[in-house]
Amino acid sequence: MDAAGSQVEAECAQYAGLFQSGFITTQGGKLLCSKIIHLIHNMNVKSQVSEVLNECELRMYKSVAFPAIGTGQAGQRPAKVADDMLDAIVEFASKRSVQHLQKIKIVIFQTNMLRDFYRSMKKREGSNSSTIDSYMSLLKSFFWVKKQPSGKKKIVDLEKKVDLATFQICGESQKNVDKTESWLKDFILKDHFENIISDELIEHFDKRQIDTLKDLQSRKHVTIQFENKLFPPCIKISGITKDVCWVSMEVQKMIQNLKDTEEEQSKAELVYHLVEWRYPGSNDSFVAFDKITNMRLEDAKIAKKPHLAVKINGKNYKVDMNTLRANDDQGKTINIQRVSKNEGKL
């Protein structure tokens, strides 16, 4: 509500008590949409989504964007909300009378919820309705940018040559030999440790991560094994305790880097659907920045940063976020643009 501005707050106050259908509609205010539909909370998410979709069709809106309703202060389980929202969308898409509403978006900022919505969508794949499949495809393309596991498992070879050490134990009696053998085994096992790390992202390890694991295995007294027949896949690290702990931390860093990259790509994709930053091209045309730079520019604008360094055609530029003018190292100045993609749309 704060982002929408005082005009929307005033409209809500004006319509207070007039929620005849469980919602009221106001102008979009400062948000990048033409209308905002405000819901009175209840636990029936499916019913609320259905009512909003029918209202949008009645008002001849072309598009609508939902948050993950009820997963905030209401505390509903994300998996149940995902099922309820997608059930409502599938039922709506099945109606032959739908003529105006063309795009339905679900905006999800909490990365952990993506899995719940993805699983809910997977349950609906293979339906008989091409209309439903089209809606599901649109939803997936909008908020799910992760590569899904292919049916074919990657074969990862991290085989390590082990130099065997042979102990010959001689003693005055068999009892002394057995005692020494037992002590030796205990001593070796005392400094041997095994750790298993499980995560869905392990399946997305590419050549860079595999090469890093091979390097870690060659430099440290550990053996690294992939268990990618399990779900989620896992990595088993065994060897000397201090080396196992150190290598385990490095593997966790690799997984976290993948998570950070995917979260950044998801956010960049979301921002790209809302706003596009452009720089001058040829023949008085403008060219869109790549999605990551597009997100960084929008973040800088929201944070009211005075300047931001970007690359344009391989050259370094410093963008003045107030004037939207960019200067390169030689003093050349160009104008950049910010274009909202959702102006005039709900």
Side-chain angles (χ1 to χ4, degrees):
M1 185 68 76
D2 291 339
S6 57
Q7 177 188 352
V8 174
E9 286 188 29
E11 276 194 84
C12 286
Q14 178 184 349
Y15 294 128
L18 302 179
F19 287 79
Q20 296 177 354
S21 303
F23 60 84
I24 61 170
T25 303
T26 67
Q27 299 300 313
K30 295 180 180 179
L31 298 181
L32 299 176
C33 59
S34 61
K35 303 286 184 183
I36 303 174
I37 296 177
H38 306 263
L39 297 171
I40 294 181
H41 170 68
N42 65 55
M43 299 302 286
N44 194 340
V45 171
K46 180 180 176 182
S47 173
Q48 288 190 308
V49 173
S50 297
E51 288 173 1
V52 171
L53 292 174
N54 290 326
E55 178 71 7
C56 289
E57 177 66 15
L58 181 65
R59 301 290 181 182
M60 295 187 288
Y61 297 144
K62 298 293 184 184
S63 65
V64 61
F66 289 94
I69 297 172
T71 56
Q73 293 182 353
Q76 294 204 50
R77 289 188 305 108
K80 182 180 183 301
V81 169
D83 286 340
D84 288 347
M85 293 188 71
L86 293 176
D87 282 345
I89 291 171
V90 168
E91 288 181 10
F92 176 80
S94 303
K95 297 178 181 178
R96 295 183 179 275
S97 58
V98 176
Q99 297 179 359
H100 305 288
L101 189 59
Q102 298 173 1
K103 186 179 291 186
I104 302 170
K105 301 177 183 179
I106 300 178
V107 182
I108 300 173
F109 292 102
Q110 299 90 338
T111 308
N112 58 309
M113 287 188 195
L114 288 172
R115 295 175 185 174
D116 294 306
F117 277 82
Y118 175 71
R119 290 189 184 111
S120 186
M121 286 190 296
K122 287 293 285 184
K123 290 189 290 188
R124 293 163 173 79
E125 283 188 349
S127 59
N128 295 324
S129 168
S130 60
T131 307
I132 295 172
D133 287 342
S134 174
Y135 270 100
M136 301 313 296
S137 176
L138 277 172
L139 281 167
K140 282 196 289 185
S141 67
F142 182 71
F143 68 74
W144 187 259
V145 296
K146 285 188 178 181
K147 295 178 183 175
Q148 295 311 317
S150 59
K152 208 171 181 181
K153 296 287 183 183
K154 287 187 289 188
I155 298 174
V156 181
D157 181 16
L158 287 175
E159 186 178 348
K160 180 177 184 176
K161 282 189 176 181
V162 179
D163 297 323
L164 297 177
T166 303
F167 292 88
Q168 291 182 335
I169 306 171
C170 302
E172 296 177 353
S173 66
Q174 185 64 42
K175 181 181 179 181
N176 288 343
V177 171
D178 291 343
K179 186 178 179 181
T180 303
E181 181 184 3
S182 177
W183 174 86
L184 192 58
K185 286 180 178 177
D186 289 343
F187 180 79
I188 293 171
L189 290 174
K190 190 179 294 183
D191 199 34
H192 187 273
F193 184 62
E194 182 177 283
N195 186 34
I196 296 177
I197 300 172
S198 300
D199 197 286
E200 291 179 26
L201 288 175
I202 290 173
E203 191 163 27
H204 299 303
F205 275 21
D206 60 19
K207 187 177 183 300
R208 290 171 300 171
Q209 283 86 30
I210 301 303
D211 288 345
T212 300
L213 291 176
K214 287 180 178 179
D215 179 61
L216 290 171
Q217 185 174 246
S218 67
R219 291 191 292 113
K220 298 293 180 179
H221 297 289
V222 297
T223 299
I224 302 175
Q225 294 175 285
F226 269 75
E227 300 287 347
N228 52 359
K229 290 183 180 178
L230 304 174
F231 186 82
C234 63
I235 293 176
K236 182 164 71 174
I237 307 163
S238 53
I240 295 176
T241 303
K242 66 181 180 66
D243 285 353
V244 169
C245 293
W246 190 86
V247 171
S248 296
M249 289 177 63
E250 293 301 306
V251 172
Q252 293 286 12
K253 288 179 186 176
M254 292 163 64
I255 293 172
Q256 187 59 49
N257 286 338
L258 281 177
K259 287 180 180 176
D260 292 342
T261 299
E262 291 204 346
E263 285 180 10
E264 184 179 52
Q265 289 173 346
S266 296
K267 182 182 175 184
E269 189 73 24
L270 175 60
V271 173
Y272 180 73
H273 280 79
L274 299 175
V275 65
E276 184 174 276
W277 288 80
R278 302 171 179 172
Y279 61 88
S282 57
N283 300 324
D284 296 327
S285 64
F286 276 79
V287 180
F289 282 96
D290 65 86
K291 292 179 182 178
I292 297 296
T293 305
N294 187 75
M295 176 189 68
R296 290 179 58 231
L297 284 162
E298 186 64 15
D299 285 347
K301 177 183 180 296
I302 293 171
K304 297 182 179 179
K305 292 183 178 179
H307 299 95
L308 181 71
V310 300
K311 277 191 178 291
I312 300 176
N313 294 328
K315 291 184 177 181
N316 294 320
Y317 279 81
K318 186 177 181 181
V319 178
D320 185 319
M321 298 305 299
N322 293 317
T323 64
L324 299 189
R325 295 169 69 86
N327 299 296
D328 68 6
D329 298 335
Q330 284 73 44
K332 178 183 176 182
T333 300
I334 61 173
N335 293 317
I336 65 172
Q337 293 181 345
R338 178 186 181 275
V339 179
S340 171
K341 288 188 172 183
N342 279 13
E343 282 186 357
K345 295 181 182 179
L346 179 66

